[in-house]
Amino acid sequence: MNEHLQTLTEIRSLMERSSKFLSLSGLSGVSAGIVAMIGSAVVYMRLRTDWLTVLSYNRLAPYGASRFLEANQFLIKTAIAVLVAALILGTFFTVRKARLQGQRVWNQASRRLLWAMAVPLVTGGIFCLALIHYRLLFLTAPATLVFYGLALLNGSKYTVRDVEYLGYSEIALGLLALFLSGYNLLFWTIGFGVLHIIYGTAMYWKYDRNSAQKMGVKPTS
């Protein structure tokens, strides 16, 4: 009886691996959160204002159009830098975990996951650029959280279930930020920084650490 149960468990595991991308590393989330918090600190120090109004057009308007344009360019450059750094670190840790598991990173499951997340992310990116173009900075941070949450939610069916919970959290935080627009940078820091670190840490202890121990690899303490 135990042998049959073990066989069924192995079959279920093989089917799950073929349909879902299970090599996402918790350290990817932690690193993304740290990078986001560094980016938030850079924005805070560069614009030299308080956390509650740093992304408000009304705050920048008295300085004229040139000041607003300068702030726009700085925010876009910082966002791109944070995104690139997070992607590089995330890819590194995910590839490392896949190799420890003896799996390929680029397979059918990862392609489905990437496509499922790409559509909301690209749509949200274009939408946020339009908001910046029309000087609606107070809506940009909430929009990034909402679209990112939708991307996670859409991609969660192709990876571990925990990603779904992170997606719900990002969406809820973004919707709340829409009605508390003065707290833009604070909400953005919590969403992309704090939540990522909490999620990544939980993922590491739940999946990465156990996986490393089973394969005889000493886990990161």
Side-chain angles (χ1 to χ4, degrees):
M1 184 66 177
N2 291 334
E3 292 181 358
H4 291 302
L5 289 175
Q6 184 178 358
T7 302
L8 289 174
T9 301
E10 291 176 355
I11 293 174
R12 180 180 178 183
S13 177
L14 288 172
M15 291 179 64
E16 189 176 45
R17 288 187 179 185
S18 64
S19 61
K20 291 188 176 183
F21 183 66
L22 303 178
S23 296
L24 285 179
S25 172
L27 295 179
S28 299
V30 174
S31 61
I34 293 174
V35 169
M37 296 187 76
I38 292 174
S40 297
V42 170
V43 170
Y44 171 75
M45 291 185 291
R46 173 65 177 81
L47 297 184
R48 296 187 182 280
T49 184
D50 58 79
W51 285 86
L52 307 185
T53 58
V54 69
L55 296 181
S56 170
Y57 172 64
N58 292 330
R59 178 78 178 183
L60 299 173
Y63 297 95
S66 60
R67 171 65 170 167
F68 181 77
L69 180 60
E70 178 186 348
N72 276 353
Q73 294 175 346
F74 172 72
L75 291 172
I76 292 174
K77 290 178 181 178
T78 303
I80 292 175
V82 168
L83 176 62
V84 171
L87 286 175
I88 291 174
L89 290 171
T91 300
F92 169 77
F93 287 118
T94 298
V95 170
R96 190 181 72 165
K97 181 179 177 180
R99 288 178 177 174
L100 287 175
Q101 295 177 329
Q103 297 180 7
R104 293 187 306 166
V105 176
W106 189 245
N107 52 35
Q108 186 176 2
S110 62
R111 286 194 292 269
R112 286 199 298 262
L113 172 63
L114 182 62
W115 178 252
M117 294 187 65
V119 174
L121 286 177
V122 172
T123 303
I126 296 173
F127 182 79
C128 289
L129 287 176
L131 292 177
I132 294 175
H133 175 73
Y134 290 109
R135 301 186 176 184
L136 298 174
L137 286 179
F138 69 97
L139 293 177
T140 305
T144 58
L145 290 168
V146 170
F147 278 102
Y148 178 60
L150 290 173
L152 292 175
L153 197 59
N154 199 40
S156 63
K157 53 183 173 286
Y158 300 114
T159 184
V160 292
R161 183 71 181 274
D162 306 71
V163 174
E164 180 181 350
Y165 304 135
L166 178 61
Y168 285 129
S169 300
E170 298 286 356
I171 293 172
L173 193 64
L175 293 176
L176 180 61
L178 285 172
F179 297 95
L180 298 170
S181 58
Y183 297 83
N184 283 329
L185 184 58
L186 189 59
F187 276 114
W188 196 92
T189 305
I190 294 173
F192 289 103
V194 177
L195 286 184
H196 266 146
I197 292 175
I198 293 174
Y199 155 80
T201 302
M203 286 283 292
Y204 175 79
W205 283 94
K206 186 175 181 179
Y207 300 108
D208 299 22
R209 190 177 180 87
N210 292 336
S211 177
Q213 288 176 339
K214 288 179 180 179
M215 297 176 187
V217 179
K218 185 178 180 180
T220 305
S221 57

